[in-house]
């Protein structure tokens, strides 16, 4: 069944199709001039020194963990209320993710107090996630990192152009990763970006994304190089120019798209804040944010009731989701034995409402009416 109001819709028109077509016609479709253009645009947009385009965010997170020096025997702190890639990336390096709790339903990002509690002599870093594009408590987190000499990786998948005290998310830690997966704020199907202000990290990420090769095909095809050496054990984490061309069109639309999402969020907040026992996380945020998703948390409730509520809402043609099924409960992480009471409550009682620029005021009203009815009728 197709939902009348989906969770997300692509902000695509003829420009993305034309950009892909033009790139195909140009004769160069793998990593080349379009990637270079995209990287320059992206770095400039964030006010960051370096941006390196990557196959997807998961691989950008993997490279982040490598350049930060995580490895076997190390512990890296991360939230559990996020997508699995935020913890899996730590394991790719042989290090161990140690799950930290979130602050609570009003602030569903990692809790600096729990970070401090979980630091051991083995702790080497923190992976921070900015849920829905709302900043984690970066001042506290960066102060803890400085005190204990930890590296900070920002999983900024949800937050392109989001701000924290005037700085763009993804430019505060040691390095960061963005996603261009279909349902993200910037959509290319698959795609991602590694961002850093550290020259050495940028050079290493660039090398590792292409097999550790000292030159790229494009440099050789354009006569800038004739041979290559392999200087590191690298990967193939390159983005092709077809996707980069689509990303460039998406970046041009991003500020306008986010302005419209702000209006959607505003209308949601006005309506939802009047419904008893519903908490909208980050309701007190006043900074510019990307509004990647629209999470709400039911208070004094249960997982079973949340699920029935979602079924009720789905029956009216509105899609919802859960962000996220907590990682520490997945089969491959159960043995870690993490105890995270706030995360447990939110993962059982959260659901996510539709969020995209083209949502109309009438649609938002209909969604809020439906949520209100569901909350009142389902006990
Ligand atoms: C989407 C997402 C990822 C993974 O991004 P891909 O580009 O699909 O690899 C990682 N972390 C978070 C928080 C995400 O939302």
């Amino acid at each position: 069944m197709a939902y009348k109001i989906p969770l997300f819709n692509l902000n695509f028109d003829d420009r993305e199709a034309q950009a892909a077509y033009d790139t195909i016609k140009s004769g160069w479709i793998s990593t080349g001039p379009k990637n270079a253009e995209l990287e320059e645009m992206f770095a400039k947009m964030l006010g960051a020194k370096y941006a390196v385009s990557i196959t997807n965010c998961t691989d950008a997170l993997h490279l982040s963990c490598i350049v930060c020096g995580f490895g076997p025997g190390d512990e890296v702190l991360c939230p559990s209320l996020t997508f699995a890639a935020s913890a899996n990336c730590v394991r790719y390096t042989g290090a161990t993710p140690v799950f930290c709790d979130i602050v609570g339903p009003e602030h569903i990002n990692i809790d600096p107090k729990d970070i401090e509690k979980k630091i051991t002599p083995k702790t080497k870093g923190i992976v921070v996630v900015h849920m829905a594009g709302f900043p984690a408590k970066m001042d506290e987190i960066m102060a803890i990192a400085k005190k204990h000499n930890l590296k900070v990786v920002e999983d900024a998948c949800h937050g392109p152009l989001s701000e924290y005290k005037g700085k763009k998310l993804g430019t505060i830690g040691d390095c960061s990763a963005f996603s261009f997966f279909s349902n993200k704020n910037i959509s290319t199907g698959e795609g991602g970006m590694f961002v850093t202000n550290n020259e050495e990290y940028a050079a290493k990420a660039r090398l590792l994304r292409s097999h550790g090769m000292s030159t790229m095909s494009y440099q050789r095809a354009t006569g800038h190089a004739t041979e290559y050496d392999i200087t590191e054990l690298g990967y193939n984490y390159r983005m092709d120019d077809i996707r980069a061309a689509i990303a460039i069109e998406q970046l041009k639309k991003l500020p306008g798209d986010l302005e419209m999402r702000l209006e959607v969020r505003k209308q949601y907040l006005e309506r939802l804040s009047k419904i008893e026992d519903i908490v909208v996380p980050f309701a007190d945020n006043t900074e510019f944010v990307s509004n990647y998703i629209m999470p709400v948390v039911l208070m004094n409730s249960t997982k079973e009731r949340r699920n029935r509520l979602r079924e009720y809402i789905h029956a009216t043609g509105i899609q919802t989701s859960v962000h996220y099924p907590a990682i520490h409960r997945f089969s491959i992480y159960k043995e870690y034995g993490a105890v995270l009471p706030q995360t447990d409550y939110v993962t059982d009682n959260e659901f996510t409402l539709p969020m995209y620029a083209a949502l109309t005021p009438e649609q938002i009203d209909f969604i809020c009416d439906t949520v209100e009815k569901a909350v009142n009728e389902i006990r």
Side-chain angles (χ1 to χ4, degrees):
M1 179 195 80
Y3 287 101
K4 248 189 328 195
I5 308 180
L7 201 62
F8 168 83
N9 88 342
L10 271 179
N11 187 353
F12 265 31
D13 54 40
D14 286 347
R15 282 171 278 192
E16 283 79 7
Q18 187 67 46
Y21 180 86
D22 290 345
T23 306
I24 290 164
K25 285 290 191 181
S26 78
W28 191 268
I29 57 170
S30 61
T31 319
K34 285 292 164 192
N35 269 273
E37 189 182 334
L38 172 65
E39 288 172 344
E40 198 184 319
M41 267 178 92
F42 205 88
K44 206 165 164 187
M45 173 184 100
L46 292 190
K49 281 197 184 144
Y50 310 100
V52 181
S53 60
I54 305 288
T55 26
N56 55 57
C57 173
T58 304
D59 294 339
L61 284 169
H62 181 200
L63 293 183
S64 298
C65 290
I66 295 174
V67 301
C68 285
F70 305 155
D74 296 341
E75 292 177 355
V76 178
L77 307 174
C78 65
S80 169
L81 194 77
T82 175
F83 186 60
S86 316
N88 289 347
C89 62
V90 172
R91 289 179 67 177
Y92 300 155
T93 68
T96 304
V98 174
F99 295 110
C100 293
D101 213 348
I102 54 168
V103 176
E106 285 86 9
H107 183 99
I108 57 176
N109 284 328
I110 194 166
D111 184 359
K113 290 199 193 78
D114 206 36
I115 290 178
E116 279 209 286
K117 273 190 215 150
K118 287 181 174 154
I119 290 175
T120 73
K122 291 181 181 168
T123 310
K124 289 286 151 55
I126 310 167
V127 176
V128 175
V129 180
H130 305 292
M131 275 286 285
F134 291 87
K137 297 183 178 291
M138 292 308 286
D139 278 352
E140 288 95 322
I141 292 167
M142 294 311 292
I144 295 167
K146 197 170 171 198
K147 184 170 151 201
H148 296 274
N149 196 22
L150 310 177
K151 300 289 182 203
V152 175
V153 174
E154 293 180 76
D155 177 339
C157 277
H158 297 187
L161 287 182
S162 280
E163 292 183 6
Y164 177 77
K165 304 194 177 174
K167 279 188 188 153
K168 298 279 191 292
L169 295 187
T171 66
I172 303 167
D174 291 275
C175 56
S176 67
F178 289 84
S179 174
F180 306 155
F181 181 66
S182 330
N183 70 8
K184 296 297 199 303
N185 294 94
I186 303 160
S187 317
T188 65
E190 301 281 356
M193 193 66 77
F194 169 92
V195 172
T196 186
N197 285 320
N198 181 316
E199 187 179 358
E200 196 189 312
Y201 286 4
K204 182 139 183 180
R206 201 168 280 285
L207 195 65
L208 294 182
R209 85 165 167 184
S210 190
H211 307 284
M213 289 163 82
S214 57
T215 66
M216 300 261 286
S217 308
Y218 187 70
Q219 290 168 289
R220 294 193 298 280
T222 49
H224 295 294
T226 52
E227 45 184 40
Y228 65 83
D229 187 18
I230 303 268
T231 58
E232 298 249 13
L233 181 64
Y235 307 87
N236 180 355
Y237 284 173
R238 296 179 305 243
M239 193 198 294
D240 59 72
D241 261 20
I242 302 169
R243 285 187 176 80
I246 295 171
I248 289 167
E249 296 309 314
Q250 286 275 289
L251 278 199
K252 290 181 196 160
K253 284 182 186 173
L254 186 64
D257 183 279
L258 298 190
E259 285 299 336
M260 287 165 82
R261 283 170 183 258
L262 279 185
E263 290 306 313
V264 173
R265 165 94 179 171
K266 213 165 113 189
Q267 195 186 337
Y268 264 132
L269 261 182
E270 268 172 30
R271 287 287 320 265
L272 297 174
S273 61
K274 295 192 184 101
I275 304 176
E276 208 181 330
D277 281 347
I278 280 211
V279 163
V280 180
F282 310 111
D284 61 353
N285 176 78
T286 53
E287 295 196 74
F288 186 82
V289 287
S290 59
N291 284 301
Y292 164 55
I293 50 172
M294 183 65 211
V296 298
V297 183
L298 289 163
M299 299 311 292
N300 306 309
S301 196
T302 60
K303 178 175 187 175
E304 193 268 326
R305 177 169 175 253
R306 188 269 316 266
N307 292 347
R308 280 193 292 133
L309 236 113
R310 287 187 66 208
E311 278 169 28
Y312 179 106
I313 296 168
H314 290 177
T316 68
I318 300 164
Q319 187 184 9
T320 71
S321 184
V322 171
H323 288 88
Y324 284 90
I327 306 178
H328 73 285
R329 290 180 177 177
F330 287 134
S331 302
I332 64 161
Y333 283 107
K334 271 194 192 133
E335 66 192 77
Y336 286 52
V339 178
L340 309 167
Q342 295 295 336
T343 299
D344 282 335
Y345 185 82
V346 170
T347 193
D348 284 345
N349 292 284
E350 187 272 357
F351 61 101
T352 305
L353 296 172
M355 169 55 84
Y356 47 89
L359 267 183
T360 65
E362 293 72 28
Q363 286 176 317
I364 303 165
D365 265 336
F366 174 62
I367 295 165
C368 293
D369 288 343
T370 306
V371 171
E372 191 162 13
K373 273 190 219 149
V375 170
N376 290 332
E377 285 174 30
I378 295 165
R379 290 283 154 195

